[in-house]
Structure formats: structure tokens, C-alpha cells
Amino acid sequence: MKNRKLLMIPGPIEFEPEVLRAMGVQTASHVAPNFIKVFGNCLNAMKKVWLAPHGQPFIVSGSGTLAMDMAAANLIEHGDNALVISSGYFGDRFKDILDRYGANTTILSTEIGGDIALEIIERELKNKKYKLLTMTHVDTSTGVLINPEPIAALAKKYNVISVLDGVCSVAGEEIRQEEWGVDIVLTASQKAIGVPPGLALLVASQDAIDIWKGRKTPVSNYYADWQNWLPIMKAYQEGSPSYFGTPPVNLINALEKSLTLILEEGIPKRIKRHQKLAMDFRKAIQSIGLSILPKTDSIAANTLTAIYYPQGISGGDFLSGMTGNDIILAGGLHPKIKTTYFRVGHMGSVSENDLIAVLSALERVLYKLNYKFELGTSLRVFEEECVK
Amino acid sequence: MKNRKLLMIPGPIEFEPEVLRAMGVQTASHVAPNFIKVFGNCLNAMKKVWLAPHGQPFIVSGSGTLAMDMAAANLIEHGDNALVISSGYFGDRFKDILDRYGANTTILSTEIGGDIALEIIERELKNKKYKLLTMTHVDTSTGVLINPEPIAALAKKYNVISVLDGVCSVAGEEIRQEEWGVDIVLTASQKAIGVPPGLALLVASQDAIDIWKGRKTPVSNYYADWQNWLPIMKAYQEGSPSYFGTPPVNLINALEKSLTLILEEGIPKRIKRHQKLAMDFRKAIQSIGLSILPKTDSIAANTLTAIYYPQGISGGDFLSGMTGNDIILAGGLHPKIKTTYFRVGHMGSVSENDLIAVLSALERVLYKLNYKFELGTSLRVFEEECVK
Amino acid sequence: MKNRKLLMIPGPIEFEPEVLRAMGVQTASHVAPNFIKVFGNCLNAMKKVWLAPHGQPFIVSGSGTLAMDMAAANLIEHGDNALVISSGYFGDRFKDILDRYGANTTILSTEIGGDIALEIIERELKNKKYKLLTMTHVDTSTGVLINPEPIAALAKKYNVISVLDGVCSVAGEEIRQEEWGVDIVLTASQKAIGVPPGLALLVASQDAIDIWKGRKTPVSNYYADWQNWLPIMKAYQEGSPSYFGTPPVNLINALEKSLTLILEEGIPKRIKRHQKLAMDFRKAIQSIGLSILPKTDSIAANTLTAIYYPQGISGGDFLSGMTGNDIILAGGLHPKIKTTYFRVGHMGSVSENDLIAVLSALERVLYKLNYKFELGTSLRVFEEECVK
Amino acid sequence: MKNRKLLMIPGPIEFEPEVLRAMGVQTASHVAPNFIKVFGNCLNAMKKVWLAPHGQPFIVSGSGTLAMDMAAANLIEHGDNALVISSGYFGDRFKDILDRYGANTTILSTEIGGDIALEIIERELKNKKYKLLTMTHVDTSTGVLINPEPIAALAKKYNVISVLDGVCSVAGEEIRQEEWGVDIVLTASQKAIGVPPGLALLVASQDAIDIWKGRKTPVSNYYADWQNWLPIMKAYQEGSPSYFGTPPVNLINALEKSLTLILEEGIPKRIKRHQKLAMDFRKAIQSIGLSILPKTDSIAANTLTAIYYPQGISGGDFLSGMTGNDIILAGGLHPKIKTTYFRVGHMGSVSENDLIAVLSALERVLYKLNYKFELGTSLRVFEEECVK
């Protein structure tokens, strides 16, 4: 029976059963009173999850890339200087997006798996007048975590709008948008937010909105233009319907359910759960001689772990062995080292049970592929961490 | 018990129960073999539904407006001449979109509820060299149907790319994309396609793709750029995974189910069903003295009917009376006459039972609002048409 | 598209979507705290719906017949006199059941479609010392309604236990178990209770329990024996788990949801809704020359209507014509006249929309079968009644 | 987030998601052509799963106890001798049931956790003329497995009807009803059959049917009487509808789905899967010093394991610790030793992932309760067995 699989990729993830049920409910009219309430609840809950009480939330039909696109399209005008701090594939993508809207983009890339010193960023900010800076909280391609707080502070100091790509972090890593002064925090539904893919989510500060309002040129992307979406969001926040494009009613139903569960768990508790599971998982993985992609533990994400295949193990054999054990993992994504590592997502509804199942399947598959280690070690280590 | 409502707006509509169940299935990995097959099946089925065996289908997370945006963004370069044939709100929106990408857009508007003569279009095409022409098959705001075939033929004659906004028509009105030579036919999932909102759907001809390939300037909208999506679609069509943005797995599951049901019914039979129901419904409506927005029956859509409120009847009272009877209808949308009419969607899974329920509730509500007519008339007329 | 059917038989019926969703929830352990609460809520809600605040509710896995069997098996000992007041198939079945447990059963049958005079019942009660009397509130085979209140009063007067077969009435017809002094009111889930089939439901008075306790012989049916079930019900009422047989967890989940909806609507309002719809439907049916099985309107049920086929119309043709219109009706069930009539259920979530759809399909089918009447008449009459 | 629990009790179990979806489908009429087919498919599939090509299957709304009751009620007449081979709570229950129908029941009980010698059974069969013999394949209360084959052979030799209580074994333990000559094999839906609780399932040999036909006295249980159900089953097997009580449509939908999955996996492969997982699990459990209730490995079930709490560990603390880790286990059930052990179900959709999660949670909970053992041991042992 190969029907109860465990989806442990960095999004989509295992969704809570009640979230999936909310997906399958008979679609309401997008202007029906009950849906207006659902949409409004989502917008309000986002402000709580993002810790941005004065932020302007946006919920738009699209993938996470649309959220990135929306930030760039609305804030960049031709010739603006933009600074991208990249820790992998998605940092690099942000440069492509910004360039598309006419930015002169400078990219500060970390080494693969490495960090970037604040001094380097500050030097760059001193060096040139930037309008906007982007950073990837957790790069889904590498599992590298950056610390947004001091970078956002630098951005503030140099009067630069800061954009945090939180696709792989919102609701799984600590984010205090308003306290840290991040202007835009964006994400997608299918990650730690816990809702099937199809929603681009973003909260913008008043400063970001003001800069958009002060544009001299129109936004060169119609669908992403806040001019279309801002009145809609404001209307639903105030309990009235409004129409630009038909909202994805079923996904928004599911979002309401998942945000409710998130707030019921409580943000600090939820972040701590992610943190502890990730740490324990890394120790377990390392105990059988595997290495993780992030160079130090302090820059390893809570939400996913990228792990190098051991010498002599074929990625294809390994991943198909895992699938044969009903555990779905993801291959590498960073173009330069794609075939040398795999990724395990651990966010949203994830529990110790899930990670134990992953570790055990991983041990059994590696064993069959003749990797040398003592069976059971990673499980023992994981348990020792759990009971601490 | 007010839980079993009948959603009779022009999208979202009443979805088949099995489509809704497909929405709630545990999300698969977007690169899992079973999902690759589902996605590939959808792309192939689209070519059958669109009658475009050599077309290139696109399925992208977004609303119907994104599909319009995608057509404009990929095909228009700064300074291109574009001709919009507008029969309402959505025709006008296409002008806004084209302009955004630098087009010099000429708009040929019908009167509200009226048609436009082919000669006028041809005169315009002769008059100026156009690159692209758009037409709205059924304008959701007015229920006016145009005949795309001769307009597409004119476009071919004058070597203009033709774009058909089929948001309110695909799978409900006759469309023969390849035979008619329409370059792009676009739609959204939540209309006659029968899937909850969240998917922008489009089939492009090879000519359209070639024109895009020959662009001299980059597409100024990152998310909508075919450069991102074309390799993905081709990969899934060939049975391999590929990644640009995470596809909306659950919506695509639901799409596969709905396209299967559509092809099982058969396109000609399905169009005939829509046509007959719409005709019968219009006769019924008119039998109690109501008038429809389209000026003649020949330009009235199969998929929705826009109906003027009778003199002295308040739209708000009428619509809330209908809701009180568990029938959800839509208000007017055309800015100039918004408050004077309402709209009834009848597409997708719609049946005689649904329209009978609408007519009866409508009669009872009008009766209570003191509209003078003989109770039962529209039902009798509808039945007389049905049994013919 | 033949997937959205309207199920208008006298059970199972159209269930509320949220009740169906509760059916598909991942099964909980039958001793888990959350399920204990659900089960307890159901038992308490039953007392409210039955209007039997001091009654003992039972929820057991089985069909409605099991509920009848349970009443007979627990209360009858060999040689007991039982009186059955029968208005059709299910009254006759009660005699079979009682006889099985050794009762000397006397049956007072109404004519088909007719009533029975209270004097006849009282004469019989005077004539012989009965232990138990049964009556069928609404006989599902004929749609005949009896008035239980005076019969229950007679039973009390002559010190006889009264059992009301409410399979086709509970939550659709007025029942005041405690006020009327009915000892047992039993039903099944798939009727006006609004839950898929599989639950036998019953509320017993303290007198009934006492008589069972005072039995001299064991209950000759193991599964139905209250000795097995009473401690279980009491435990769940008090919030503790207890085990005899595994309860049908998913059905009980669905029952909790449906009983909640019933109590939210309110019993008096709900009964009135059923009553009005049934009356209007009968008038409509009769307006096109059809006759109903119950001889007078005062003994016609709220929950279903049995209707004779017009002369010359084949039942098979008629019913398959209705199915072709996505309306599922039931054929006759009373053995003596089975082929001469059909039945329409109208209970639970039923609305005017449903009955309008039934009437219209019925008119169109009869018309095609060459029945002579004026199209639209029954719809007009139904509407006239609705708007009164 | 405590919503994704793992239900590891000996029924109900973790059901396949598609089985649960089949539960929530809009209920069909029990006489609709599509449902007739579903019901017929279930009856035919049962004969394949039971390996009883000439058997008569029954599907009745009720719990597993109803299936036991049905066997007893239909086959026993007052004064018949019956022999019960009991290995726990459910064996003892069979005696209660048989006695209820007037049997003179002799019980041959194993020690708790022990076996019974064939000689003892044969001696008893020689000693007295028995009509019927029952055996519990796996006693859910103890996890003790008996070998039905030689006992059924003895029954045949002495011309005794044999009844196998397969509630905790059908579709999880090897059963060859026809080859072994077992007259009745009964079960319930919520165990290895993989369907939510509410269905009593049973396959009877022609001999059993003949003995029932030859009864001199009526069956003293109306609901369980084959006279009511046999014509129904035969009708649905032949593709016609028939009515006695409304079948539990949604459960039967789910049953069709689950039986299809079972036959797709293949019976031999499925039994081997259960066997291997159970063996590996027992070794793992024993490796950390826990003891299982069955005295030898050869009489330990495939479908569940009963395990003694280690000295000094409170059952309440242990089980609530497990629940706190989202793993739901069952306490003891055998009245004599109830508080000294717990039970883990592992049947149906169970996988290595599930048991690894159980073992790890169990280790962590025992560790916190100060049980002395080396963390990780049982996981290592389980893995070593898996990879053998």
C-alpha cells in the first residue's frame, strides 16, 4: 500500500487535514458575506503572524515568485540601484527580477553554504546610494539562514527599502517585521504557512507603500501593480467586497484555517518547535557522517536542511530508495552543486514522528547502498536531543 | 437550513463534487511522477478542449486577468499598435493592459449591449498597421457574445495576431482555435472550465510563440514572461518535471478531473447544452416582461445572462431576496449601468434543474417586491422550450 | 454532466455538505477524549431534538430496523400481548419483529392510505391487557401520518408501553416525547436527522428502562440487548469512554454536526418548514390531476409524499425519465399497490428550490409520456402557496 | 500543532486517504444503478479476500459483535452443543453470545497468552457431539494468534460447523476459508479491512447456509436473521436492488475502495507485509527489555502486539505520554490483567515508518518515566531486521 506518503520537501509540505478539508468546500461567491469575512480574517491574521500591526497585507493568486515580482515591480523604477544579498538560487533570482524592472542591481553573494559579513554589506551601502535591498531569509536551495535584523537596521541607517524573501521562513523562523523595520516580508502559501500552493502573500510597510505612491513612472507589470490590488485588500479588511480579479476562494478558505491554527499554537512556541526539531535533526544527520550544506550551525535554517550525499552514493538511487519507503525528499537545486546534495523540508505541521521516520528510512536506504555507518545511530542521537 | 446554496454567478460556479474532492486531496510533490502525469494530462486535454492540436498550452497560478496580462506582456513591445474590440468592462480592461506594455491601443467599442459591424473592424485594420487585435468572446460584464471567427479571419488577412479573451466562454461557447486561426485563446479556471479560481489558462499558436521569440526588447513583466513558463510546460508535456514556480498542485488535480468530465461529455454536446439552456432561459425571462442587456438574441451568450431590473425594483432588495432563497446571483458590473441590471451565470455543470430553481425564486422575489406579472409564467415558458 | 443529482427519496436524502465532510474526517480512537466529547454531545442533543429531557438515548451501529428490533427485543417477553397500529409496510414489519420475540401481536391496520379511529384503538385496549403498543408516525411506504399524541395518551390510560416508530418523522414532524408520554421514540440517521445511513437511534423513557430491568427472561437478541449498551451510553454521557462494540466513529462525527445544525435552526421552525413545504407540494401535485396516497390532507406526512401514477403512465418510464433529469425518486413500497405509485422524500435540508426542481422535471417527464395537463401549472400553484 | 496523530490501536486504524474520501461522497440512493454495482463489487471482492470462491458474503450495518451474533443466532438452536476455543476477552464473549441462543457451551480457554493443544480439542470433540465450534483467530485483547487450519480440520472430521472470528485477522493474517474448510469467517470493517467502523462482514459456506435452512425453530434475533439478509445479498450479487434495511451507503463506498486496494496489493504480499512488520516490531520491543503477552513468538499476531508495561511504569502515564507525542495506543482489555499491558495495532495501511515512529515515541516516553535502557536500541534492532 503506497498511498500514505510523507511529503518532506521544502514545500509543498504535509498539510493539516482540516486545511485540506477547507480546500474542498463548495466555493462561495467572492462577494458573499461569509467569504468577505474569511478574506478579512486572513488579512488581519497575517499582520499578527508577520508581527506587523501597521503593515498592509496582500493576498494574491500566484506562486511565491509572484510575491517577489510584486515587490520589485512596484518599488523599482528604471535606473534605481538595488542591492541583492544572495545565499543561493533564490537570491540570484531576485537579481533577475529587479533587473527586469530596470534596476542596476549589485549582488553580494555568499559562498555556497556561507554567510556574509555585515561589514561587507555596510561598505556597499556606504559606497553607493541604493533604493532597495533584498535578502533571502532562508534560501530554499541551500537551507542557509541569514539574520535579517542587523541587515534591516543597516538598510534603515542608509535609508534603503528592505525586502525580506520569507518564502521559506514566514511562520517557521523568527520574524518581527515592524520591530526590525523590514519594509516588505513576502512568502508563499505552501511552505511554513501550511496551505497548498497558489497564494502569493506579502506585508508592506507604510514606507514601502509611500515610495510606490511616489513613483514617477507606471508599474510595468499590470497584474502585479498594487494600484489594482490595494483597494481590494483595503475593502476586504473593512468588510466590503471589491473586485479586481476573482480571488482563489478555496485557497483563501484554507489559509484562514491554517492561520488560525498557527495563532492558536502561538508564534513563539511555533518558532521554538521548528528550531528544536531542526537542530536535533542536524545533529542526527551529522552523527552518521553526513555533512550539511550550511557551513555553520548558526546559519542553518529551521525549515529545511540541505545535506550532501556521502561519497559514492548516487543521488538518484538514494532518492528513489526514499520514495520506495514512502518518504518524499527533494534533490539539490543550486545550479553549481545540484547533484551533490538533497533537501529535507521540516516545517508547518512537522513533528518528531516525521523526522524519526525520515532518519530511519534514510539509514535503511544508505545501508542498502553500502554506506558504512552503525545502523540506528542517527535515531539514537535524535532521541537523546529530544529528551534533553 | 441555509447551507445548500446554488451559486449562479458568472464564476465561480457550482463545481462538480468530484472536482471539489480532487481539490482536497493531500498535496503531492510538484515533481512526483504521479503529479507530472496529472499536469501533462491537463496540458494535453486543453489542446482538445480548445480544438488547437498544435497549440502551446500554459497553466499558471493566477486569476483570469493574469492570462490577459500574459498575452499582452509577451506579445506587445513599446510602440506596437493594438486594436481592442470591446463589448464591455473586460474589453476596456484589455486596453489598460496593452497600454501598460507600451501599445498604442485603439478601441472599437460596441454600444452597451450592442454588436460591432465587421466593416468597421476591417476599415480600421486597413487604416493602420496593427500588430495585435483582442476581442472578448463573452464580456462577463454584459453577457454580450461576439462571433470571433470572421474577426479572426480579418486579423489573418491583415496579418495581425488575434487574441480571444475566452474567460467567460471556453468550454461553454463554440471555439475552434486552430480552424479559426485565433492566435491566443485564454481563460480562467472558475468559469465553464469548472474548477475553483486560481488558474490562468491559455493556448498560443506557433505564430504567437514565434512573434514572442522575435522580440527585440525583454518582456517587462517577470512573472508572466513565457521564457520562464515555456520550458516548464514543454517538460511536463513530455513527462519530465521542471521548476520555475511551484505549481498549484491541488488546483491542477481538480483541473484534470474537470477536463476529463468535459471531454467525456464531448465538446459539441456540451456547447449545445449551454446554448439550449441559455436560449430557454432568455425566453423564460422575457416572458415575464424582463429585458436582457444584449440587444439581440444572436449576440446573447450561452454562459451568462445580464438582465435589467424591472422599473421600480431595487437591485439590493432583489439580490438579497434571492440570497434569502439560497440562490446567489451577481449584480451589474459595467460601470455606466452597474445598478440597473443583474447577472445570472449558467455554465459548467448547470442543468435545467438549476435554472428552474432560479426562475422560481426570481418570480417569488419579484412578486413580493410588487412587480406585476402572472406567477408561474416564466416556468411554463421554460418548460415549453425544454420539451420542444 | 450527470454528476449533480438531486436525491429526493424518503431516505437517504441530500445531506448538508458539512455533514458529509464530517464523515470523511480521519477516524479517531473511540476512547479518545475528543471523540468521547462528540459522542456525549450527540446523546445530549438527541434529548433536545426528541424533547425528552429525562430520556435515555441510544446510538447504535445498525439500520433503522435495528432500532425497531431493539425496542421489541428488550421489552417483549414470551407471551406478552402487543398491539400494532399499522398504516403500511413498516407497521406490518413491527408485527413480524414483535412475534419473533414471542409476542401475541394484534394488528390494527388502517386501510391503505387511511386513518384509524381512536375508538377502535381504545376498544382494543379495553378488550385485552396489552403490554406494549407500537405506532408508525409516518409510514415510509405510504406517507401516511398518524397523530401519536392521543394514542400515547390512551396507552398511558391503559398502562401500556408505547413505542413510536419515528424513522420517517424525527426532526421532520412534531414530536414531544416526554409531554406526550411516549416511552420509546426510535429513528434512523438517514432520514430527517440528516446523516448517512448506519445509525439506529432511540430514546427510552425511565418506565421503558424499568420494564426492561424487571424482565424475567433474558433478551433473546445479544446485539440489541440494552444490558450491553446502557452502560456505554451512560459512560459517554458522563464523559468517560467505555467499550462494548466499536462505535461507528465517522457516522457519529457526522451526527454531531447534523444535530448541531438542527438545534441551530430550532425544532419548531424546522417542523414548520417541513410542514409548509409538504403542504405546498401536495397542492402543486394535485393541481395537475395527480392524487396522493393518503386519503386526506390531515394524514399526509411532512417528510414524504406518495403519489399515484396517472392512468396510462408506466412507473418505470416515469422514474427513469426523472433520473434522466437528475432527480432521483423512489418507487412504491407497499406490497399490495407497489407498482401504482411513487414516493418523493422532502426532509432534512430540503428547500423550495429542491421541490421546484422536482415539480418541473415531473411535468416535463409526464408531458413527454403524453399525460394531458397544462405545462407549468404545478409550478404556478406551488409558487402561489409559497408567497402566501 | 496536534492535529496529525498516528492512530495505532487495534482498530480503528489509520485509513488510506482515498478510503476516507469515499466516505464523504454524496450519498447515493441504495437502489441506484451505480450503488448496486458498488455493493456487488464489494460482495465479489470479499470472496477473493476470504479465499472462499463459493462462499456467501454478507455485509450488514453493525459492529464486529453483530457479525459474531449473526453466526450464533443463525446456526444455534436451543440445546445445541457448542465448543468455544478462547484465547481472551473475545473468545469469552462468544460463549456469552452462544449461550444467549440456548447453546450448551463448553469453553476451552488457553492460559492468558498461551496456546491450546490440538489433542485437548480433539479429546473434547470425541467426548461430546458438538454442532458448532468457534475460535478467535487473533484475540484483540491479547494479540494471541491461533492456527485455524488444523482446528478446522478437526471440526470437519467430527462433523462440526466451524466459525472463525477473524475480526482482528481478515486481510492481515493468512486465511484460506475454502481450502481450510472453515464454515464462517467473520470480521468488522475497521481492522485490517481498512474501513471506518460500522460494517459487520461475514462469509458463510454452503454447509452453514444449509444448516441454517434446516433449522426447526426460528432465529430468535430478527435483525441478524439471514432470512432477511440472504435475498438482499443475492440480489446485489446479481446486479439487482433489493430492500430489507437501508444499507450504509457511504461505508460500502469506502469498503469498495479499500477492497480494491487490498486486491491490488495482493493477498500473499499483504499478509507477508503484516507478518514481517510484526516480527520486526516484536524483536525491537524485546530488545529494550519489554515482554509481549503471547508466550511464544509463534502465537503472536501479525495485526497487533500486546506488551507488558515494564515494572514501575504507570500505564496511565505511559499512554498519555504517547498521546502527547501524537501516537495513540490502546490500554489492556483482558479483564484479569487489564492494567498491566498495552496494545499496539499494526494492520491495514501500516508501514515501517509508522512503527519507527511508535518505537521512538515509546523510547522517549519510557526514558522520561525513568525506565532504564539504552536510547535508540529498539530502533536499531528494528532497522537491522528491516534490512535483512
Side-chain angles (χ1 to χ4, degrees), chain B residues 78-99:
Chain B
H78 211 271
D80 287 340
N81 291 326
L83 179 62
V84 166
I85 297 154
S86 173
S87 41
Y89 181 88
F90 289 96
D92 295 353
R93 174 175 287 188
F94 230 142
K95 177 173 162 36
D96 290 349
I97 298 176
L98 292 161
D99 286 352

Side-chain angles (χ1 to χ4, degrees), chain A residues 1 3-4 6 14-18 261 265 270 273 325-327 348-354 356-357 359-361 363-364 367-368 375-376 379-380 383-384 386-387, chain D residues 1 3-4 6 14-18 261 265 270 273 325-327 348-354 356-357 359-361 363-364 367-368 375-376 379-380 383-384 386-387:
Chain A
M1 309 280 263
N3 301 289
R4 289 176 52 231
L6 200 54
E14 285 292 322
F15 300 118
E16 292 289 348
E18 48 191 317
L261 292 173
E265 185 179 16
R270 183 177 178 89
R273 173 168 61 83
N325 282 289
D326 296 340
I327 307 273
S349 71
V350 68
S351 69
E352 290 165 349
N353 296 331
D354 296 331
I356 279 284
L359 287 170
S360 174
E363 285 202 354
R364 286 175 282 134
Y367 183 90
K368 285 190 179 162
L375 268 178
L379 298 164
R380 176 176 47 75
E383 290 194 344
E384 284 167 0
C386 286
V387 297
Chain D
M1 309 280 262
N3 300 289
R4 289 177 53 231
L6 199 54
E14 284 294 321
F15 301 119
E16 292 289 350
E18 46 191 317
L261 292 174
E265 184 179 19
R270 184 177 178 88
R273 173 168 60 84
N325 282 288
D326 295 341
I327 307 274
S349 70
V350 68
S351 70
E352 290 165 350
N353 296 332
D354 297 330
I356 279 285
L359 287 169
S360 174
E363 285 201 355
R364 287 175 280 136
Y367 183 91
K368 286 189 179 162
L375 266 178
L379 296 164
R380 176 176 50 73
E383 289 195 344
E384 284 167 359
C386 286
V387 297

Side-chain angles (χ1 to χ4, degrees), chain B residues 1 3-4 16 18 265 270 273 325 349 352-354 356 360 363-364 375-376 379-380 383, chain C residues 1 3-4 16 18 265 270 273 325 349 352-354 356 360 363-364 375-376 379-380 383:
Chain B
M1 309 281 261
N3 300 289
R4 288 178 52 233
E16 291 289 350
E18 45 191 320
E265 184 178 19
R270 184 177 178 89
R273 172 166 61 83
N325 282 289
S349 71
E352 290 165 349
N353 296 333
D354 297 331
I356 279 284
S360 174
E363 286 201 354
R364 287 174 280 134
L375 266 179
L379 296 164
R380 176 176 49 73
E383 289 194 344
Chain C
M1 310 282 263
N3 300 289
R4 288 178 51 232
E16 292 289 350
E18 45 191 317
E265 184 178 18
R270 183 176 179 90
R273 173 167 60 83
N325 283 290
S349 69
E352 290 165 350
N353 296 333
D354 297 330
I356 279 284
S360 174
E363 284 201 355
R364 287 174 282 134
L375 266 178
L379 296 164
R380 177 178 47 75
E383 289 193 344

Side-chain angles (χ1 to χ4, degrees), chain C residues 281 285 288 290 307-310 312-325 327-332 339-344 358-369 371 373:
Chain C
F281 183 66
I285 280 295
I288 53 168
L290 301 187
I307 304 163
Y308 288 109
Y309 297 118
I313 299 296
S314 132
D317 290 352
F318 172 76
L319 291 176
S320 75
M322 292 299 284
T323 300
N325 283 290
I327 307 273
I328 314 300
L329 302 183
T339 58
T340 67
Y341 73 105
F342 63 98
R343 295 171 298 147
V344 179
V358 170
L359 287 169
S360 174
L362 182 146
E363 284 201 355
R364 287 174 282 134
V365 168
L366 287 179
Y367 183 90
K368 286 190 179 163
L369 297 173
Y371 176 65
F373 70 107

Side-chain angles (χ1 to χ4, degrees), chain A residues 305-340:
Chain A
T305 301
I307 304 164
Y308 289 109
Y309 297 119
Q311 197 113 30
I313 299 296
S314 132
D317 289 352
F318 173 76
L319 291 175
S320 77
M322 292 301 284
T323 300
N325 282 289
D326 296 340
I327 307 273
I328 314 301
L329 302 184
L333 184 59
H334 195 294
K336 289 192 192 150
I337 51 164
K338 214 173 155 154
T339 58
T340 66

Side-chain angles (χ1 to χ4, degrees), chain D residues 213-233:
Chain D
K213 279 188 180 154
R215 289 178 67 102
K216 292 182 196 105
T217 56
V219 171
S220 78
N221 173 328
Y222 182 79
Y223 185 65
D225 190 350
W226 284 346
Q227 200 175 328
N228 295 321
W229 296 108
L230 188 58
I232 308 304
M233 300 303 137

